[in-house]
Amino acid sequence: ERAIEAAAVLLAQAHEAVKGEERAAVESTIAEFATSPCVLRHFDPRPDELIRLWKLTRQGCKGIGHRLVGALTAEHHHFTVLALAGRLLSRAGEFATARSLLQVA
C-alpha cells in the first residue's frame, strides 16, 4: 500500500518536472500504473486522487477509459474489477465508457 502511494506521488512529481518527449514517457508510465487492477482497488476509497493522475496524461480520463476497457476485457478480469473500473470512470464523468465496462461485467 505504501509503495502504491509513493509511486503515485513520484509519478505526479516527475510529470511536473519534465517536458517534451520525457513528459510523454512519464504520461505513458502514469497510464500503465493508473490502470492496474491493484492500483484501482487501492484508490477505490479515494477515487479523486486516482482521477487526478488520469488527468495528468495527454489522453485524459477518456483515453484512460478506453485503455481500461481494452485491457480489462482482453485479460478477462473478475467482474468486481470491471465494476470498480466502471464506478471510477463514472466518477470521472466518462459515463459511456463506464457503461461499456459494466455491460461486460
Side-chain angles (χ1 to χ4, degrees):
E1 299 231 346
R2 288 184 196 183
I4 291 173
E5 292 288 332
V9 169
L10 289 174
L11 285 169
Q13 290 173 343
H15 184 266
E16 294 302 314
V18 297
K19 304 268 186 251
E21 290 179 25
E22 292 175 336
R23 180 169 274 184
V26 170
E27 288 177 3
S28 176
T29 303
I30 289 171
E32 188 174 328
F33 169 78
T35 56
S36 166
C38 65
V39 173
L40 297 176
R41 281 190 290 272
H42 177 79
F43 284 105
D44 183 25
R46 297 169 293 138
D48 293 336
E49 292 178 35
L50 182 60
I51 292 166
R52 255 185 258 118
L53 271 180
W54 290 353
K55 289 180 178 179
L56 290 178
T57 67
R58 193 165 296 151
Q59 59 204 23
C61 293
K62 185 176 192 91
I64 292 290
H66 291 297
R67 183 182 179 115
L68 279 167
V69 169
L72 295 178
T73 57
E75 296 173 15
H76 305 292
H77 282 279
H78 193 268
F79 73 90
T80 57
V81 175
L82 296 170
L84 169 59
R87 280 196 322 271
L88 291 168
L89 286 167
S90 181
R91 177 77 180 248
E94 292 301 322
F95 303 110
T97 310
R99 187 176 28 241
S100 297
L101 269 177
L102 293 172
Q103 286 173 342
V104 173

